[in-house]
Amino acid sequence: MTPYRHLVSTCSLVFGLLNLTFWCVPLLAIVLIRLLVPASRSRLQSTLNAIYRTAVRGNDWWFRHVLGYRWQPPDVALDSDRTYLVIANHQSWADSFLIQAAVVHNGHILKVLVKEELTRWPILGLIFNAYDFPRLKRRAADPADEPERRRQDADRIRQAC
């Protein structure tokens, strides 16, 4: 990889982190309000959705105008009354961004299945908590508990859907 590509990659990483960090300020306020006034939870959902969509638009802007990526997101007709499970095979680091570009702009907010360990990361943990992303455990501490861990993970996925 050329020095220029390294610079572009570094700038992309910094932009992504700054985008997430910027939106964590209002997210933190919303999470605190929800903790102090539990009845406000449903009224704050539209604000949460707007923050999510705006952060995705920031990523889209970077991809299109700085990195020069050109793609036509598929015209996905999703029924807003239904829940969809979206699966990325992570063949590339761009999978998540492309799925968001295709789905989020059409009205839906993605619920991402998160490894429980990631909820302890400062910025990501706040985002995962604010949007109630379902947490999954990778493995049970005791192999004998593995079937129960898998059942609990399946229950969390069903609840999210």
Side-chain angles (χ1 to χ4, degrees):
M1 195 154 76
T2 67
Y4 173 75
R5 295 304 304 161
H6 280 290
L7 178 63
V8 169
S9 296
T10 302
C11 290
S12 295
L13 178 62
V14 169
F15 176 82
L17 288 173
L18 288 175
N19 187 30
L20 289 177
T21 303
F22 175 82
W23 292 111
C24 279
V25 174
L27 284 181
L28 182 58
I30 289 171
V31 168
L32 290 173
I33 292 169
R34 285 191 335 191
L35 285 173
L36 297 172
V37 186
S40 66
R41 189 174 201 67
S42 63
R43 285 178 279 180
L44 293 170
Q45 193 59 49
S46 63
T47 304
L48 279 171
N49 292 352
I51 291 170
Y52 190 107
R53 284 189 182 91
T54 306
V56 169
R57 281 189 197 96
N59 291 335
D60 290 350
W61 178 87
W62 184 265
F63 274 80
R64 290 179 186 275
H65 294 91
V66 176
L67 298 179
Y69 288 8
R70 301 283 180 251
W71 73 85
Q72 181 63 41
D75 186 19
V76 181
L78 300 175
D79 181 354
S80 60
D81 294 329
R82 297 191 61 199
T83 300
Y84 300 90
L85 179 62
V86 179
I87 300 173
N89 62 7
H90 293 301
Q91 290 295 312
S92 136
W93 60 270
D95 286 358
S96 299
F97 297 106
L98 294 171
I99 289 171
Q100 285 182 339
V103 176
V104 173
H105 296 303
N106 286 306
H108 287 272
I109 300 298
L110 295 179
K111 288 279 187 173
V112 178
L113 303 177
V114 178
K115 287 191 280 188
E116 191 169 293
E117 296 81 11
L118 293 178
T119 62
R120 296 183 196 104
W121 291 22
I123 294 172
L124 295 177
L126 174 62
I127 294 167
F128 300 152
N129 285 320
Y131 290 97
D132 297 321
F133 287 177
R135 291 160 186 78
L136 305 178
K137 293 185 179 182
R138 295 298 281 180
R139 289 186 179 81
D142 179 1
D145 296 334
E146 188 63 16
E148 176 61 18
R149 194 255 337 142
R150 288 177 185 253
R151 188 194 59 72
Q152 289 173 351
D153 283 351
D155 288 345
R156 286 186 195 99
I157 293 169
R158 267 192 231 73
Q159 242 178 354
C161 290

